[in-house]
Amino acid sequence: MTQAPFSVIGAERKGAWVITCDHATNIVPQHVNGGTLGLPDIQMQRHIAIDIGALGVANALGAALNAPVVSANFSRLVIDPNRGADDPTLVPQLYDGTIIPGNRTLTGAERQRRIDLLYDPYHDAIARTANTRDVTFLAVHSFTPQLIGRPPRPWEIGVLSARDRRIADPLIASLSAALTSPVGDNAPYAGFFPGDAMSQHAHIPGRPNVLLEIRQDLIAHPEGQRHWATLLAHHLEAARAQANL
């Protein structure tokens, strides 16, 4: 049986948040090159294919915040749901020094097929879930401690929100007081890419929002995922209250 391009856990939950996990898995669907991008398994286990630990944190946060969790059931290397449909990096051919063989000769027709079968259904699922209530939008990601040829990243967590800072600012302040390491403010990545998932589901509709980037080595195992979800649930609720939402 063909796996759906997305999963929704806790659709019946009525909390104040909707949580997404764009890079939840490293799955290559069978309809994409017979289920392979031509990479060895060791590469498909890296951060280039999946946000390690992010789905576990997202699901634990969903339970803690009584919030639905929408996650993508395909690898970002197949098509990246956190890019605009017209973004040239929507289907990556090179990522952190690794060439993606299955994408090197991608045709326009195959690109559109991945949009139709994977990208659009995932974003439609987010829209259906978020449109049922007034919500605060929370995206959960993770980042590698060090990119190839780059210096180590000093943060344990980054808080991203470039346009609407109602959640980000109080969250950064409270996390900075609680943690001994620096909290990234739109780091290790910028808080906004035109057409990305946050743009589509939070910026354009005007929803309060925040994107979390957690260092992957801290959440690679279930105990770390539970620890960070418990910690973050407290600070997220406090930030939302401080923003008078």
Side-chain angles (χ1 to χ4, degrees), residues 2 20-21 45 64 101 112 121 148 157 184 208 212:
T2 302
T20 61
C21 191
Q45 300 301 323
Q112 187 59 50
I148 293 174
I157 187 168
L212 300 176

Side-chain angles (χ1 to χ4, degrees), residues 7-33:
S7 295
V8 181
I9 293 178
E12 74 287 351
R13 295 171 181 163
K14 301 301 182 184
W17 302 83
V18 164
I19 301 171
T20 61
C21 191
D22 298 330
H23 304 147
T25 79
N26 58 4
I27 294 170
V28 181
Q30 278 297 119
H31 62 77
V32 176
N33 299 325

Side-chain angles (χ1 to χ4, degrees), residues 58-170:
N59 285 337
L61 275 170
L65 297 172
N66 192 34
V69 180
V70 187
S71 59
N73 287 338
F74 51 89
S75 173
R76 67 191 301 171
L77 295 182
V78 174
I79 188 167
D80 193 336
N82 195 33
R83 295 291 183 270
D86 60 350
D87 192 304
T89 65
L90 180 68
V91 180
Q93 296 185 331
L94 176 71
Y95 198 160
D96 195 22
T98 297
I99 294 171
I100 318 303
N103 294 339
R104 289 188 69 182
T105 59
L106 187 78
T107 65
E110 173 60 17
R111 183 180 185 277
Q112 187 59 50
R113 193 167 75 96
R114 296 185 195 183
I115 291 173
D116 294 342
L117 295 178
L118 300 169
Y119 181 96
D120 282 350
Y122 172 63
H123 284 286
D124 289 345
I126 296 174
R128 286 194 303 271
T129 303
N131 287 344
T132 61
R133 69 199 87 179
D134 291 329
V135 296
T136 301
F137 194 83
L138 169 63
V140 179
H141 290 253
S142 67
F143 67 94
T144 184
Q146 186 174 11
L147 292 168
I148 293 174
R150 304 286 185 87
R153 290 162 157 174
W155 314 280
E156 291 185 335
I157 187 168
V159 176
L160 281 59
S161 189
R163 293 188 171 182
D164 184 338
R165 304 285 299 188
R166 285 176 288 177
I167 298 294
D169 286 340

